[in-house]
Amino acid sequence: MEEQFTSIPVIESNLYLFGGLQRTVSGEWTLSEQTHRAFEVIGVLEGSQAIEIKGVATYVCHPGDVMIVAPGMTHALHNNDRSEPMSYVTFRFNSGSLDLRMSINKLTNQVFSRETTVAQLAISTVQQMLRDSRAVHLSRERLKVKLQMSLLNFFRRSHG
C-alpha cells in the first residue's frame, strides 16, 4: 500500500467587524465627517442617502444601492430627501490579510446599484448578520462564528 499524506494549510485570520446596524432616520438627519481605519459598507433600504467623500465626490444611493468606503477616507452622510425618512444598513470591517484588503479596495468609493451582485450580496449579508444578532438562542461565541462566516461568504461570493 502506498502511503499518502495531505496537509491542511495554516490559516491566520484576524477579521475585525464592528459598527453594524440598521437605522431609520428623519429627513433632517446628518452624520458629520468621520474617518475609519476600516472598510465601511453602507446600503440604503428606503429613501436616499448622500455620501460625501471629502476631496473626491458626493454620491447618492437609492433603495438597494450600496457603497463600500475605503479605510482612511473622510466622509459624511445625510438623508438626501430632507422631508422623508430614510432607512439604511451599515457595517465596518477590516482584515489582517493584505491580499483581501487589496481585493476589497477595488470595490471601494463607488456606488453599486441594486441590480449588481455586490449590492445584493452586501444587503443580504448585513440583513443576515442583523437577524443572527437578534437570535436569543445563540451563545456569544456561536454568534461571533456565524457573523464571521457571513462576512467571509460575502467576500467569497462578491469576488467570484
Side-chain angles (χ1 to χ4, degrees), residues 12-155:
E12 293 183 37
S13 174
N14 60 347
L15 194 57
Y16 183 54
L17 172 67
F18 69 103
L21 59 89
Q22 179 176 338
R23 186 175 186 191
T24 299
V25 296
S26 69
E28 304 84 34
W29 178 80
T30 297
L31 187 61
S32 58
E33 286 186 351
Q34 54 183 325
T35 306
H36 313 289
R37 291 184 171 183
F39 296 93
E40 181 171 13
V41 176
I42 303 166
V44 175
L45 302 177
E46 294 178 25
S48 65
Q49 182 180 75
I51 304 168
E52 178 186 352
I53 299 180
K54 190 173 186 176
V56 178
T58 298
Y59 304 89
V60 176
C61 291
H62 302 282
D65 294 349
V66 167
M67 176 174 244
I68 303 172
V69 179
M73 300 300 293
T74 300
H75 58 286
L77 312 172
H78 70 265
N79 185 342
N80 200 50
D81 184 343
R82 298 297 184 176
S83 62
E84 296 294 324
M86 185 262 306
S87 294
Y88 72 101
V89 291
T90 186
F91 66 93
R92 298 176 192 101
F93 69 90
N94 215 338
S95 169
S97 167
L98 180 59
D99 288 341
L100 181 58
R101 287 195 316 266
M102 289 175 62
S103 180
I104 296 292
N105 208 49
K106 295 175 186 173
L107 303 175
T108 61
N109 305 336
Q110 58 186 303
V111 175
F112 291 94
S113 69
R114 66 180 153 265
E115 296 85 19
T116 64
T117 301
V118 170
Q120 293 168 7
L121 288 171
I123 295 285
S124 66
T125 297
V126 72
Q127 288 177 329
Q128 182 62 53
M129 290 192 293
L130 289 163
R131 279 191 300 276
D132 290 340
S133 295
R134 290 184 200 107
V136 294
H137 68 280
L138 292 176
S139 70
R140 188 90 175 139
E141 287 309 307
R142 183 157 168 98
L143 174 59
K144 287 180 181 181
V145 168
K146 286 185 72 74
L147 295 175
Q148 288 181 60
M149 289 173 59
S150 291
L151 188 55
L152 291 170
N153 194 44
F154 167 69
F155 297 151

